[in-house]
């Protein structure tokens, strides 16, 4: 049994549950839930912002950010594959009346600075008012480097635009970059945020909380964000039961993301080895992971047999069909997280080897 579908599937550990159980509570809409106030204070300090706001999901913190930065008829520059554009039900347009301007991603997951600059519209009544640049880090498990993050923030400032990081997995980026910059992951995360007007950070992914996301920014921005959160129905009451988990996660679960990254590499190496060795798995290609997410592509005919086999043996992955230049392929996504152990990965690799041998016998 191993659930690789997402790092959202993690269950709170015993110590986190205890922290949730013991949390001191108030009413967060009245602004007196002490645990939530402490989480918001701690997170703001950690990432170098004046203030923070807890919300039910990353989709909501992103939407709140876009609606707080933009007015009706404003435009936000986004990536074609980004969560804010593709995976949030069109919320910025539907609920925010904000026009998205999507740009193609480069192979490394960045938006080319020249593309961003080229998409900024002049002040002309024909055009929506370009107001915001949204950056995602990590994006599909890829890490955008510090120098690039700085360049985008500088460009935004030069052009008089706001900039937001969808940092659902920002801590994964920080952990991946920290040693190269000789910083702690926490210091690295703060560096990545520098120059940005706002950041959203998921607590319920690799950090291991059952629920929740944080939005960070200036005091004034968070005041506006709180108004928008209420409007969207995200004002909640005894949130301390949830934010206690968030505090636990920020204190205990950042450094350990390195284990997930090492596990992802172990899985990728193991799969690469199997593909090299076994005729049945010839069509399997593995994209080397930078953080905790491994993508593998396989021929649809192989997927038709492998996916049910994995499911039968309690291995859960997500799969989507896409059109590559060499024909249709199935892309499988394997996400490593707190509840995936090295042992489970070894068992998964053994199982896939067994599958390949059984299939080759049938042929
Ligand atoms: C998961 C994720 C979100 C938020 O998702 P929720 O399920 O709404 O918490 C936002 N952006 C990115 C890049 C994500 O991966």
């Amino acid at each position: 049994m191993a659930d690789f579908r997402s790092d959202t599937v993690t269950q709170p550990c015993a110590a986190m549950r205890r922290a949730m159980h013991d949390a001191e509570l108030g009413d967060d809409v009245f602004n007196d839930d002490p645990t939530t106030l402490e989480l918001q204070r701690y997170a703001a300090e950690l990432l170098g912002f004046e203030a923070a706001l807890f919300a039910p999901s990353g989709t909501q913190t992103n939407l709140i950010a876009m609606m707080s930065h933009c007015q009706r008829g404003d435009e936000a520059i986004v990536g074609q594959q980004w969560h804010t554009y593709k995976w949030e039900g069109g919320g910025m347009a539907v609920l925010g009346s904000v026009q998205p301007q999507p740009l193609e991603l480069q192979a490394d997951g960045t938006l080319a600075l020249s593309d961003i600059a080229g998409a900024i519209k002049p002040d002309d009544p024909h055009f929506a008012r370009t107001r915001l640049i949204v950056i995602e880090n990590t994006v599909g498990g890829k890490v955008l480097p510090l120098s690039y993050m700085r360049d985008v923030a500088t460009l935004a400032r030069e052009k008089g635009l706001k900039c937001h990081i969808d940092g659902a997995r920002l801590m994964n980026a920080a952990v991946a970059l920290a040693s190269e910059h000789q910083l702690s992951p926490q210091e690295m995360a703060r560096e990545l945020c520098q120059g940005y007007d706002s950041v959203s950070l998921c607590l319920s992914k690799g950090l291991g909380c059952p629920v929740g996301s944080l939005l960070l920014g200036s005091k004034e921005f968070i005041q506006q964000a709180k108004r928008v959160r209420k409007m969207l129905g995200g004002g909640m009451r005894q949130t301390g039961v949830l934010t206690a988990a968030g505090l636990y996660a920020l204190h205990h679960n950042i450094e350990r993301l390195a284990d997930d990254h090492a596990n992802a590499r172990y899985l990728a190496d193991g799969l690469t080895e199997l593909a090299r060795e076994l005729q049945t798995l010839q069509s399997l290609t593995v994209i080397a992971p930078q953080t905790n997410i491994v993508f593998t592509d396989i021929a649809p005919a192989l997927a038709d047999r492998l996916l049910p086999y994995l499911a039968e043996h309690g291995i859960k992955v997500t799969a989507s069909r896409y059109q590559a230049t060499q024909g249709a392929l199935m892309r499988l996504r394997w996400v490593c997280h707190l509840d995936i152990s090295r042992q489970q990965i070894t068992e998964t690799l053994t199982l896939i080897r067994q599958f390949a041998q059984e299939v080759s016998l049938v042929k």
Side-chain angles (χ1 to χ4, degrees), residues 8 56-60 62 83-84 88 136 138-139 166-169 200 202 204-205 212-213:
T8 56
S57 70
T59 297
Q60 189 170 101
N62 280 332
H83 205 277
T84 39
E88 296 182 5
E136 188 173 310
T138 63
V139 53
D166 176 356
R169 296 193 180 90
S200 62
C202 276
S204 63
K205 291 200 167 150
S213 184

Side-chain angles (χ1 to χ4, degrees), residues 325-355:
T325 39
Q326 67 269 41
L329 288 174
M330 283 298 277
R331 174 158 286 188
L332 275 50
R333 190 178 85 144
W334 311 74
V335 185
C336 292
H337 51 75
L338 227 141
D339 292 346
I340 295 279
S341 64
R342 183 62 66 113
Q343 172 73 19
Q344 284 171 302
I345 298 175
T346 304
E347 285 165 11
T348 302
L349 292 168
T350 304
L351 189 76
I352 295 173
R353 174 183 294 279
Q354 188 184 309
F355 159 82

Side-chain angles (χ1 to χ4, degrees), residues 242-264:
L242 303 174
T243 50
L247 271 168
Y248 181 89
L250 292 183
H251 286 300
H252 296 97
N253 288 351
I254 295 176
E255 281 87 356
R256 67 147 307 284
L257 292 171
D259 301 344
D260 300 339
H261 298 180
N263 279 340

Side-chain angles (χ1 to χ4, degrees), residues 182-203:
Q182 298 182 324
L183 296 172
S184 70
Q186 291 82 351
E187 290 165 339
M188 191 69 231
R190 201 175 312 141
E191 290 293 316
L192 288 168
C193 293
Q194 210 181 81
Y196 283 81
D197 297 288
S198 58
V199 178
S200 62
L201 176 75
C202 276
L203 298 166

